[in-house]
Amino acid sequence: MKGLKLGAMSDLPSLAAAPWLKAPALQRIFAAIAVRGGEARVVGGAVRNALMGEQVTEVDIAATLSPDEVTAACTAVGLTVHPTGIDHGTVTVVADHHPYEVTTLRHDVETDGRRAKVTFTGDWEADAMRRDFTMNALYCDARGVIHDPTGGYPDILARRVVFVGDPGQRIGEDYLRILRFFRFHARYGEGAPDEAGLQACKRLKAGLDGLSAERIRQEMFKLMAAKGAVPTLMLMAEHDILGHLLPYTEEWRVLERLPPDPLLRLAVLARDPVAMKQRWRLSNHEGRRLEAIASLNPPTPALRDMEQKIVLYQIGIEAFEDLVRIAWARSDAPMDDPGWQHLLALPERWAVPVLPVSGGDLLAAGMNPGPEIGVTLRALEDWWVASGFAPGKKELLKRLA
Ligand code: ATP
Ligand code: MG
């Protein structure tokens, strides 16, 4: 590892030209911290993605100053600072309306398999050693110079997810790292996963049972949103890891044919999709989507145009699109099939109409308040739908009489 590190170091590219690094907002933060005698560097996802040629979406900063010192340094130059995660050393600095998370260098002192107790340090190497994977432990300073204490650059080039240090020990500190191993492999990996990492994940998989639903859900949704999710899920199934997360189907072909939407993939992957609502503490909205998928009949291109419209009217755009995507994936039709494409695009070419009469209209027309209003309204709606949504308010009220 030491030899690799030296060899790689001389070959490290510069990120001096990267637009996100040159952003005046970020440079102001670097400068503010330097004025106070500290140093800040970009770390993690931004450096990894820049070196991989992937899009950089968020820029996280590591700093040698304590959170209080970072706050003082940035406030002194007129930046706004929020103490978002100050207990673990993170503050959010807003510069030019852009939020940057600034985290004081940390050093793990104690771990219980779920969360680490950390102390602050001025030691870049110690901060790198507590990170999960070598590809996530590179730093980029204000001038674009890359610092790579764990020798992660060759792994970035090879798109190989490799634990920092001994995989078994690192997993024992935080079992979520098993899921992160597969998540980063699905998103960034190429070829077979690192064998030592995979074996450690296999050996320690029982530790997954003690993780909170929220943490599992968060990593698994990110995994399932990745392009390479399905081969990775198959790998997790093959090594008896996926079963620790949920009872799953083996509809791999269908999963491959779905778009990279974690909820759609979960609806097909889970043997009991509705039960996942509780199991992974999904949001109400996610739960409703799963319930709709599980309980409604999917529309098909075999339906006539008006029948398709009636289904869309009755179940709404979201359930319609979810059901079409899953039914299409389950069918034998190719993914560029014109019939399925046309069906999926129905909400784009046809605006879902709204029933032109309301309860208020019925009252105004002389009906007495009471449950009969609702009954009548539904009867009118049935007639209106069966008439191809064509009758207007006048015709509906005439029918009432
Ligand atoms: P993404 O683009 O998916 O957000 P990321 O690299 O920013 O990727 P995060 O989950 O946001 O991933 O974590 C930020 C950084 O913090 C990681 O790059 C890694 O260095 C470190 N990290 C996060 N979670 C852990 C963990 N459980 N154990 C060790 N290090 C971690
Ligand atoms: Mg991140």
Side-chain angles (χ1 to χ4, degrees), residues 43-46 48 57-60 101 180 183-184 222:
V43 63
R48 176 197 67 221
T57 47
E58 48 173 36
V59 177
D60 294 326
E101 286 200 347
R180 292 176 62 85
R183 192 250 280 192
F184 284 102
K222 285 187 178 174

Side-chain angles (χ1 to χ4, degrees), residues 156-352:
I156 285 189
L157 293 183
R159 291 184 167 260
R160 192 168 50 213
V161 183
V162 178
F163 281 95
V164 172
D166 177 66
Q169 186 195 326
R170 302 312 311 283
I171 292 170
E173 293 165 2
D174 180 1
Y175 289 100
L176 191 74
R177 290 174 186 156
I178 296 175
L179 299 187
R180 292 176 62 85
F181 177 79
F182 291 105
R183 192 250 280 192
F184 284 102
H185 178 68
R187 174 68 180 79
Y188 300 106
E190 244 163 45
D194 175 62
E195 192 56 28
L198 180 62
Q199 290 308 322
C201 289
K202 250 174 95 166
R203 188 158 42 84
L204 297 167
K205 62 195 170 198
L208 290 170
D209 303 341
L211 292 175
S212 75
E214 287 78 5
R215 295 184 86 204
I216 292 177
R217 183 217 104 99
Q218 205 186 357
E219 288 299 330
M220 288 304 289
F221 266 52
K222 285 187 178 174
L223 191 161
M224 290 190 295
K227 260 212 182 121
V230 180
T232 299
L233 290 168
M234 291 172 74
L235 191 75
M236 293 168 78
E238 182 192 330
H239 294 290
D240 200 20
I241 290 169
L242 195 56
H244 284 268
L245 305 169
L246 77 168
Y248 58 92
T249 68
E250 293 188 272
E251 294 192 68
W252 307 122
R253 185 194 73 96
V254 179
L255 285 164
E256 275 290 14
R257 285 161 55 88
L258 284 175
D261 174 336
L263 199 103
L264 287 182
R265 284 176 165 170
L266 182 61
V268 170
L269 180 67
R271 240 190 284 157
D272 184 353
V274 174
M276 297 311 294
K277 205 178 142 178
Q278 279 297 318
R279 187 171 175 130
W280 283 3
R281 311 252 190 289
L282 304 185
S283 70
N284 289 335
H285 177 232
E286 291 162 342
R288 276 199 303 275
R289 276 181 76 187
L290 288 176
E291 272 161 13
I293 292 168
S295 63
L296 299 170
N297 280 327
T300 78
L303 295 177
R304 282 188 306 248
D305 185 64
M306 186 49 69
E307 292 170 329
Q308 295 179 359
K309 287 177 175 161
I310 291 173
V311 175
L312 173 55
Y313 173 77
Q314 283 167 341
I315 70 179
I317 294 177
E318 186 169 62
F320 183 89
E321 290 177 345
D322 285 349
L323 285 161
V324 170
R325 289 207 159 93
I326 290 176
W328 186 359
R330 289 211 158 105
S331 78
D332 290 324
M335 292 323 292
D336 57 0
D337 183 89
W340 282 98
Q341 264 170 356
H342 193 68
L343 177 65
L344 183 61
L346 176 60
E348 281 156 41
R349 66 176 175 276
W350 183 69
V352 180

